Amino acid sequence: VQLQASGGGLVQPGGSLRLSCAASGSIFSIQIMGWYRQAPGKQREPVASINSGISTDYADSVKGRFTISRDNAKNTVHLQMNSLKPEDTAVYYCNALIKATSSLTYYSDYWGQGTQVTVSS
């Protein structure tokens, strides 16, 4: 199983970016997909998540500005980031809990490679 993230870049404060993450490989079921971020010198922190029932959860710092969505048919998750602030600058990682085959009784944790988001004028 692989997670491939894309969509990062440099944007001015107040601007927008859309991150995408596609899961590929042997996938039977995906329980939760989400995004984490890690700024220089800081620990990785959760940003947003969405479960298979489309229930979402957001960090307080991004509520009202970021929107997470999911395409179950394509095993993809997106993060629409609006009103970006310099403090949103970080490497963003996608994450998913995936059951690779129907014979498994547990979900495993997978991570994408990270995509840099820089908010600066």
Side-chain angles (χ1 to χ4, degrees), residues 46-47 58-65:
V47 176
Y58 295 93
D60 288 342
S61 60
V62 307
K63 283 181 180 177
R65 300 188 298 122

Side-chain angles (χ1 to χ4, degrees), residues 1 5 13 29 31 33 38-40 43 45-46 48 50 70 78 90 92-93 96 98 100 106 113 115:
V1 175
S29 174
Q31 186 180 54
M33 302 187 82
Q38 187 167 19
Q43 290 189 333
E45 61 178 7
I50 183 168
R70 176 171 169 173
H78 306 284
Y92 283 70
Y93 298 90
I98 296 173
Y106 56 88
Q113 81 283 11
T115 184

Side-chain angles (χ1 to χ4, degrees), residues 37-100:
R37 67 186 181 186
Q38 187 167 19
K42 295 187 177 181
Q43 290 189 333
R44 190 174 298 188
E45 61 178 7
V47 176
S49 63
I50 183 168
N51 69 12
S52 57
I54 317 300
S55 175
T56 60
D57 191 28
Y58 295 93
D60 288 342
S61 60
V62 307
K63 283 181 180 177
R65 300 188 298 122
F66 290 11
T67 302
I68 190 169
S69 61
R70 176 171 169 173
D71 185 337
N72 289 326
K74 296 182 179 179
N75 292 330
T76 59
V77 63
H78 306 284
L79 186 68
Q80 178 66 43
M81 305 185 293
N82 299 329
S83 303
L84 282 161
K85 304 175 181 180
E87 50 264 44
D88 294 317
T89 296
V91 177
Y92 283 70
Y93 298 90
C94 63
N95 171 262
L97 292 178
I98 296 173
K99 185 185 290 186

